[in-house]
PDB file of all heavy atoms in Angstrom:
ATOM      1  N   PHE M 184     -19.624   3.424  18.085  1.00 97.00           N
ATOM      2  CA  PHE M 184     -18.218   3.367  18.515  1.00 97.00           C
ATOM      3  C   PHE M 184     -17.452   4.720  18.191  1.00 97.00           C
ATOM      4  O   PHE M 184     -16.773   5.280  18.901  1.00 97.00           O
ATOM      5  CB  PHE M 184     -17.463   2.231  17.829  1.00 97.00           C
ATOM      6  CG  PHE M 184     -17.497   0.974  18.577  1.00 97.00           C
ATOM      7  CD1 PHE M 184     -18.444  -0.029  18.294  1.00 97.00           C
ATOM      8  CD2 PHE M 184     -16.607   0.664  19.558  1.00 97.00           C
ATOM      9  CE1 PHE M 184     -18.443  -1.246  18.954  1.00 97.00           C
ATOM     10  CE2 PHE M 184     -16.670  -0.475  20.339  1.00 97.00           C
ATOM     11  CZ  PHE M 184     -17.532  -1.390  20.047  1.00 97.00           C
ATOM     12  N   ILE M 201     -11.307   2.436  20.645  1.00 98.00           N
ATOM     13  CA  ILE M 201     -12.059   1.985  21.858  1.00 98.00           C
ATOM     14  C   ILE M 201     -11.577   0.518  22.140  1.00 98.00           C
ATOM     15  O   ILE M 201     -11.292   0.169  23.293  1.00 98.00           O
ATOM     16  CB  ILE M 201     -13.557   2.081  21.679  1.00 98.00           C
ATOM     17  CG1 ILE M 201     -13.935   3.619  21.726  1.00 98.00           C
ATOM     18  CG2 ILE M 201     -14.313   1.300  22.769  1.00 98.00           C
ATOM     19  CD1 ILE M 201     -15.447   3.864  21.799  1.00 98.00           C
ATOM     20  N   ALA M 205      -9.979  -0.347  25.685  1.00 97.00           N
ATOM     21  CA  ALA M 205     -10.924  -1.134  26.548  1.00 97.00           C
ATOM     22  C   ALA M 205     -10.253  -2.323  27.084  1.00 97.00           C
ATOM     23  O   ALA M 205     -10.586  -2.831  28.172  1.00 97.00           O
ATOM     24  CB  ALA M 205     -12.104  -1.518  25.691  1.00 97.00           C
ATOM     25  N   ASP M 209     -11.910  -1.822  33.118  1.00 98.00           N
ATOM     26  CA  ASP M 209     -12.848  -2.758  33.804  1.00 98.00           C
ATOM     27  C   ASP M 209     -14.206  -2.670  33.153  1.00 98.00           C
ATOM     28  O   ASP M 209     -14.850  -1.669  33.252  1.00 98.00           O
ATOM     29  CB  ASP M 209     -12.877  -2.306  35.269  1.00 98.00           C
ATOM     30  CG  ASP M 209     -13.908  -3.063  36.057  1.00 98.00           C
ATOM     31  OD1 ASP M 209     -14.455  -4.049  35.514  1.00 98.00           O
ATOM     32  OD2 ASP M 209     -14.288  -2.777  37.202  1.00 98.00           O
ATOM     33  N   PRO M 210     -14.606  -3.798  32.467  1.00 98.00           N
ATOM     34  CA  PRO M 210     -15.857  -3.748  31.814  1.00 98.00           C
ATOM     35  C   PRO M 210     -17.131  -3.624  32.691  1.00 98.00           C
ATOM     36  O   PRO M 210     -18.190  -3.377  32.267  1.00 98.00           O
ATOM     37  CB  PRO M 210     -15.871  -5.040  31.006  1.00 98.00           C
ATOM     38  CG  PRO M 210     -14.910  -5.918  31.665  1.00 98.00           C
ATOM     39  CD  PRO M 210     -13.862  -5.012  32.329  1.00 98.00           C
ATOM     40  N   GLU M 211     -16.894  -3.908  33.946  1.00 97.00           N
ATOM     41  CA  GLU M 211     -17.991  -3.876  34.939  1.00 97.00           C
ATOM     42  C   GLU M 211     -18.008  -2.496  35.671  1.00 97.00           C
ATOM     43  O   GLU M 211     -18.887  -2.307  36.545  1.00 97.00           O
ATOM     44  CB  GLU M 211     -17.937  -4.910  36.023  1.00 97.00           C
ATOM     45  CG  GLU M 211     -17.681  -6.345  35.452  1.00 97.00           C
ATOM     46  CD  GLU M 211     -18.745  -6.887  34.750  1.00 97.00           C
ATOM     47  OE1 GLU M 211     -19.918  -6.452  34.936  1.00 97.00           O
ATOM     48  OE2 GLU M 211     -18.545  -7.746  33.824  1.00 97.00           O
ATOM     49  N   TYR M 213     -19.012   0.474  34.804  1.00 97.00           N
ATOM     50  CA  TYR M 213     -20.230   1.284  34.650  1.00 97.00           C
ATOM     51  C   TYR M 213     -21.360   0.337  34.045  1.00 97.00           C
ATOM     52  O   TYR M 213     -21.058  -0.364  33.089  1.00 97.00           O
ATOM     53  CB  TYR M 213     -19.992   2.473  33.798  1.00 97.00           C
ATOM     54  CG  TYR M 213     -18.928   3.485  34.421  1.00 97.00           C
ATOM     55  CD1 TYR M 213     -17.638   3.364  33.904  1.00 97.00           C
ATOM     56  CD2 TYR M 213     -19.353   4.308  35.402  1.00 97.00           C
ATOM     57  CE1 TYR M 213     -16.679   4.210  34.530  1.00 97.00           C
ATOM     58  CE2 TYR M 213     -18.395   5.102  35.962  1.00 97.00           C
ATOM     59  CZ  TYR M 213     -17.044   5.056  35.555  1.00 97.00           C
ATOM     60  OH  TYR M 213     -16.148   5.857  36.145  1.00 97.00           O
ATOM     61  N   PHE M 215     -23.873   0.258  31.792  1.00 97.00           N
ATOM     62  CA  PHE M 215     -24.615   0.985  30.770  1.00 97.00           C
ATOM     63  C   PHE M 215     -25.723   0.243  30.240  1.00 97.00           C
ATOM     64  O   PHE M 215     -25.792  -1.043  30.346  1.00 97.00           O
ATOM     65  CB  PHE M 215     -23.522   1.261  29.618  1.00 97.00           C
ATOM     66  CG  PHE M 215     -22.531   2.232  29.945  1.00 97.00           C
ATOM     67  CD1 PHE M 215     -21.153   2.068  29.697  1.00 97.00           C
ATOM     68  CD2 PHE M 215     -22.888   3.503  30.552  1.00 97.00           C
ATOM     69  CE1 PHE M 215     -20.264   2.988  30.009  1.00 97.00           C
ATOM     70  CE2 PHE M 215     -21.925   4.422  30.875  1.00 97.00           C
ATOM     71  CZ  PHE M 215     -20.526   4.161  30.586  1.00 97.00           C
ATOM     72  N   PRO M 216     -26.743   0.897  29.663  1.00 95.00           N
ATOM     73  CA  PRO M 216     -27.968   0.197  29.232  1.00 95.00           C
ATOM     74  C   PRO M 216     -27.751  -0.731  27.996  1.00 95.00           C
ATOM     75  O   PRO M 216     -26.825  -0.549  27.181  1.00 95.00           O
ATOM     76  CB  PRO M 216     -28.949   1.317  28.819  1.00 95.00           C
ATOM     77  CG  PRO M 216     -28.067   2.435  28.547  1.00 95.00           C
ATOM     78  CD  PRO M 216     -26.776   2.327  29.380  1.00 95.00           C
ATOM     79  N   ARG M 217     -28.439  -1.815  28.021  1.00 95.00           N
ATOM     80  CA  ARG M 217     -28.459  -2.800  26.860  1.00 95.00           C
ATOM     81  C   ARG M 217     -29.895  -2.723  26.229  1.00 95.00           C
ATOM     82  O   ARG M 217     -30.847  -3.453  26.699  1.00 95.00           O
ATOM     83  CB  ARG M 217     -28.223  -4.180  27.287  1.00 95.00           C
ATOM     84  CG  ARG M 217     -26.726  -4.502  27.429  1.00 95.00           C
ATOM     85  CD  ARG M 217     -26.250  -4.341  28.854  1.00 95.00           C
ATOM     86  NE  ARG M 217     -24.962  -5.016  29.106  1.00 95.00           N
ATOM     87  CZ  ARG M 217     -23.922  -4.381  29.659  1.00 95.00           C
ATOM     88  NH1 ARG M 217     -24.011  -3.093  30.098  1.00 95.00           N
ATOM     89  NH2 ARG M 217     -22.807  -5.025  29.932  1.00 95.00           N
ATOM     90  N   LEU M 231     -27.420   4.345  24.748  1.00 97.00           N
ATOM     91  CA  LEU M 231     -26.149   3.962  25.295  1.00 97.00           C
ATOM     92  C   LEU M 231     -25.089   5.056  25.140  1.00 97.00           C
ATOM     93  O   LEU M 231     -24.429   5.355  26.121  1.00 97.00           O
ATOM     94  CB  LEU M 231     -25.663   2.653  24.565  1.00 97.00           C
ATOM     95  CG  LEU M 231     -24.195   2.168  24.783  1.00 97.00           C
ATOM     96  CD1 LEU M 231     -23.993   1.886  26.304  1.00 97.00           C
ATOM     97  CD2 LEU M 231     -23.976   0.883  24.000  1.00 97.00           C
ATOM     98  N   VAL M 250     -14.469   3.458  31.078  1.00 98.00           N
ATOM     99  CA  VAL M 250     -15.649   3.837  30.392  1.00 98.00           C
ATOM    100  C   VAL M 250     -15.755   3.099  29.031  1.00 98.00           C
ATOM    101  O   VAL M 250     -16.713   2.489  28.640  1.00 98.00           O
ATOM    102  CB  VAL M 250     -15.662   5.339  30.053  1.00 98.00           C
ATOM    103  CG1 VAL M 250     -16.854   5.737  29.201  1.00 98.00           C
ATOM    104  CG2 VAL M 250     -15.700   6.125  31.383  1.00 98.00           C
ATOM    105  N   ALA M 251     -14.532   3.052  28.356  1.00 98.00           N
ATOM    106  CA  ALA M 251     -14.586   2.279  27.068  1.00 98.00           C
ATOM    107  C   ALA M 251     -14.788   0.935  27.146  1.00 98.00           C
ATOM    108  O   ALA M 251     -15.485   0.319  26.385  1.00 98.00           O
ATOM    109  CB  ALA M 251     -13.107   2.546  26.368  1.00 98.00           C
ATOM    110  N   ALA M 252     -14.248   0.251  28.230  1.00 98.00           N
ATOM    111  CA  ALA M 252     -14.469  -1.148  28.420  1.00 98.00           C
ATOM    112  C   ALA M 252     -15.914  -1.482  28.737  1.00 98.00           C
ATOM    113  O   ALA M 252     -16.543  -2.483  28.202  1.00 98.00           O
ATOM    114  CB  ALA M 252     -13.623  -1.661  29.496  1.00 98.00           C
ATOM    115  N   SER M 253     -16.530  -0.654  29.542  1.00 98.00           N
ATOM    116  CA  SER M 253     -17.965  -0.795  29.882  1.00 98.00           C
ATOM    117  C   SER M 253     -18.872  -0.583  28.733  1.00 98.00           C
ATOM    118  O   SER M 253     -19.861  -1.346  28.446  1.00 98.00           O
ATOM    119  CB  SER M 253     -18.340   0.122  31.053  1.00 98.00           C
ATOM    120  OG  SER M 253     -17.534  -0.060  32.162  1.00 98.00           O
ATOM    121  N   PHE M 254     -18.568   0.410  27.845  1.00 98.00           N
ATOM    122  CA  PHE M 254     -19.257   0.649  26.681  1.00 98.00           C
ATOM    123  C   PHE M 254     -19.135  -0.477  25.643  1.00 98.00           C
ATOM    124  O   PHE M 254     -20.100  -1.034  25.105  1.00 98.00           O
ATOM    125  CB  PHE M 254     -18.791   1.971  25.998  1.00 98.00           C
ATOM    126  CG  PHE M 254     -19.183   2.170  24.520  1.00 98.00           C
ATOM    127  CD1 PHE M 254     -20.487   2.571  24.258  1.00 98.00           C
ATOM    128  CD2 PHE M 254     -18.361   1.864  23.515  1.00 98.00           C
ATOM    129  CE1 PHE M 254     -21.003   2.753  22.965  1.00 98.00           C
ATOM    130  CE2 PHE M 254     -18.762   2.038  22.158  1.00 98.00           C
ATOM    131  CZ  PHE M 254     -20.034   2.484  21.883  1.00 98.00           C
ATOM    132  N   ARG M 255     -17.902  -0.928  25.448  1.00 98.00           N
ATOM    133  CA  ARG M 255     -17.689  -2.020  24.506  1.00 98.00           C
ATOM    134  C   ARG M 255     -18.499  -3.330  24.974  1.00 98.00           C
ATOM    135  O   ARG M 255     -19.081  -3.939  24.165  1.00 98.00           O
ATOM    136  CB  ARG M 255     -16.222  -2.374  24.407  1.00 98.00           C
ATOM    137  CG  ARG M 255     -15.878  -3.371  23.432  1.00 98.00           C
ATOM    138  CD  ARG M 255     -14.384  -3.691  23.367  1.00 98.00           C
ATOM    139  NE  ARG M 255     -13.810  -4.317  24.542  1.00 98.00           N
ATOM    140  CZ  ARG M 255     -12.589  -4.936  24.641  1.00 98.00           C
ATOM    141  NH1 ARG M 255     -11.836  -5.045  23.481  1.00 98.00           N
ATOM    142  NH2 ARG M 255     -12.165  -5.456  25.696  1.00 98.00           N
ATOM    143  N   GLN M 256     -18.462  -3.494  26.290  1.00 98.00           N
ATOM    144  CA  GLN M 256     -19.099  -4.719  26.764  1.00 98.00           C
ATOM    145  C   GLN M 256     -20.662  -4.615  26.515  1.00 98.00           C
ATOM    146  O   GLN M 256     -21.249  -5.671  26.198  1.00 98.00           O
ATOM    147  CB  GLN M 256     -18.866  -4.756  28.286  1.00 98.00           C
ATOM    148  CG  GLN M 256     -19.565  -5.906  29.001  1.00 98.00           C
ATOM    149  CD  GLN M 256     -18.693  -7.044  29.392  1.00 98.00           C
ATOM    150  OE1 GLN M 256     -17.744  -7.333  28.563  1.00 98.00           O
ATOM    151  NE2 GLN M 256     -18.771  -7.571  30.496  1.00 98.00           N
ATOM    152  N   ALA M 257     -21.203  -3.418  26.691  1.00 98.00           N
ATOM    153  CA  ALA M 257     -22.639  -3.225  26.563  1.00 98.00           C
ATOM    154  C   ALA M 257     -23.043  -3.490  25.011  1.00 98.00           C
ATOM    155  O   ALA M 257     -23.952  -4.152  24.804  1.00 98.00           O
ATOM    156  CB  ALA M 257     -23.093  -1.845  26.941  1.00 98.00           C
ATOM    157  N   VAL M 258     -22.187  -2.921  24.130  1.00 98.00           N
ATOM    158  CA  VAL M 258     -22.475  -3.142  22.695  1.00 98.00           C
ATOM    159  C   VAL M 258     -22.390  -4.600  22.326  1.00 98.00           C
ATOM    160  O   VAL M 258     -23.373  -5.195  21.690  1.00 98.00           O
ATOM    161  CB  VAL M 258     -21.536  -2.293  21.837  1.00 98.00           C
ATOM    162  CG1 VAL M 258     -21.718  -2.590  20.295  1.00 98.00           C
ATOM    163  CG2 VAL M 258     -21.702  -0.799  22.106  1.00 98.00           C
ATOM    164  N   VAL M 259     -21.357  -5.202  22.776  1.00 98.00           N
ATOM    165  CA  VAL M 259     -21.136  -6.600  22.431  1.00 98.00           C
ATOM    166  C   VAL M 259     -22.134  -7.554  23.126  1.00 98.00           C
ATOM    167  O   VAL M 259     -22.635  -8.453  22.412  1.00 98.00           O
ATOM    168  CB  VAL M 259     -19.661  -7.074  22.786  1.00 98.00           C
ATOM    169  CG1 VAL M 259     -19.498  -8.528  22.661  1.00 98.00           C
ATOM    170  CG2 VAL M 259     -18.600  -6.312  21.931  1.00 98.00           C
ATOM    171  N   ASP M 260     -22.539  -7.270  24.252  1.00 98.00           N
ATOM    172  CA  ASP M 260     -23.643  -8.054  24.969  1.00 98.00           C
ATOM    173  C   ASP M 260     -24.853  -8.099  24.075  1.00 98.00           C
ATOM    174  O   ASP M 260     -25.475  -9.134  23.822  1.00 98.00           O
ATOM    175  CB  ASP M 260     -24.039  -7.467  26.308  1.00 98.00           C
ATOM    176  CG  ASP M 260     -23.098  -7.972  27.395  1.00 98.00           C
ATOM    177  OD1 ASP M 260     -22.363  -8.834  27.203  1.00 98.00           O
ATOM    178  OD2 ASP M 260     -23.215  -7.344  28.544  1.00 98.00           O
ATOM    179  N   VAL M 261     -25.273  -6.909  23.622  1.00 98.00           N
ATOM    180  CA  VAL M 261     -26.510  -6.788  22.785  1.00 98.00           C
ATOM    181  C   VAL M 261     -26.341  -7.575  21.443  1.00 98.00           C
ATOM    182  O   VAL M 261     -27.194  -8.373  21.015  1.00 98.00           O
ATOM    183  CB  VAL M 261     -26.940  -5.325  22.568  1.00 98.00           C
ATOM    184  CG1 VAL M 261     -28.048  -5.252  21.595  1.00 98.00           C
ATOM    185  CG2 VAL M 261     -27.164  -4.640  23.824  1.00 98.00           C
ATOM    186  N   LEU M 262     -25.180  -7.280  20.806  1.00 98.00           N
ATOM    187  CA  LEU M 262     -24.947  -7.895  19.440  1.00 98.00           C
ATOM    188  C   LEU M 262     -24.967  -9.491  19.564  1.00 98.00           C
ATOM    189  O   LEU M 262     -25.536 -10.114  18.780  1.00 98.00           O
ATOM    190  CB  LEU M 262     -23.596  -7.345  18.841  1.00 98.00           C
ATOM    191  CG  LEU M 262     -23.532  -5.975  18.456  1.00 98.00           C
ATOM    192  CD1 LEU M 262     -22.130  -5.571  17.963  1.00 98.00           C
ATOM    193  CD2 LEU M 262     -24.615  -5.606  17.403  1.00 98.00           C
ATOM    194  N   VAL M 263     -24.261  -9.936  20.534  1.00 98.00           N
ATOM    195  CA  VAL M 263     -24.101 -11.366  20.667  1.00 98.00           C
ATOM    196  C   VAL M 263     -25.395 -12.086  21.099  1.00 98.00           C
ATOM    197  O   VAL M 263     -25.815 -13.104  20.556  1.00 98.00           O
ATOM    198  CB  VAL M 263     -22.917 -11.788  21.585  1.00 98.00           C
ATOM    199  CG1 VAL M 263     -22.818 -13.265  21.854  1.00 98.00           C
ATOM    200  CG2 VAL M 263     -21.668 -11.282  21.061  1.00 98.00           C
ATOM    201  N   ASN M 287     -13.832  -6.114  15.905  1.00 96.00           N
ATOM    202  CA  ASN M 287     -13.738  -5.885  17.341  1.00 96.00           C
ATOM    203  C   ASN M 287     -13.318  -7.228  18.064  1.00 96.00           C
ATOM    204  O   ASN M 287     -13.901  -8.305  17.944  1.00 96.00           O
ATOM    205  CB  ASN M 287     -15.132  -5.476  17.913  1.00 96.00           C
ATOM    206  CG  ASN M 287     -14.978  -5.062  19.263  1.00 96.00           C
ATOM    207  OD1 ASN M 287     -15.269  -5.882  20.183  1.00 96.00           O
ATOM    208  ND2 ASN M 287     -14.676  -3.799  19.566  1.00 96.00           N
ATOM    209  N   LEU M 289     -13.356  -8.180  21.270  1.00 98.00           N
ATOM    210  CA  LEU M 289     -14.305  -8.765  22.257  1.00 98.00           C
ATOM    211  C   LEU M 289     -15.465  -9.438  21.535  1.00 98.00           C
ATOM    212  O   LEU M 289     -15.880 -10.561  21.839  1.00 98.00           O
ATOM    213  CB  LEU M 289     -14.812  -7.656  23.186  1.00 98.00           C
ATOM    214  CG  LEU M 289     -15.827  -8.297  24.263  1.00 98.00           C
ATOM    215  CD1 LEU M 289     -15.124  -9.154  25.283  1.00 98.00           C
ATOM    216  CD2 LEU M 289     -16.505  -7.119  25.053  1.00 98.00           C
ATOM    217  N   ARG M 293     -16.365 -13.427  21.944  1.00 98.00           N
ATOM    218  CA  ARG M 293     -17.661 -13.717  22.499  1.00 98.00           C
ATOM    219  C   ARG M 293     -18.492 -14.606  21.421  1.00 98.00           C
ATOM    220  O   ARG M 293     -19.265 -15.469  21.862  1.00 98.00           O
ATOM    221  CB  ARG M 293     -18.444 -12.452  22.891  1.00 98.00           C
ATOM    222  CG  ARG M 293     -17.821 -11.807  24.162  1.00 98.00           C
ATOM    223  CD  ARG M 293     -18.337 -12.434  25.446  1.00 98.00           C
ATOM    224  NE  ARG M 293     -19.765 -12.373  25.496  1.00 98.00           N
ATOM    225  CZ  ARG M 293     -20.419 -11.335  25.885  1.00 98.00           C
ATOM    226  NH1 ARG M 293     -19.883 -10.257  26.252  1.00 98.00           N
ATOM    227  NH2 ARG M 293     -21.804 -11.368  25.874  1.00 98.00           N
TER     228      ARG M 293
END
Side-chain angles (χ1 to χ4, degrees):
F184 270 99
I201 288 190
D209 173 8
E211 312 294 334
Y213 300 98
F215 290 134
R217 275 97 166 128
L231 170 58
V250 176
S253 304
F254 165 77
R255 181 179 70 163
Q256 176 106 322
V258 174
V259 170
D260 274 352
V261 175
L262 293 177
V263 174
N287 187 270
L289 181 67
R293 290 276 304 278

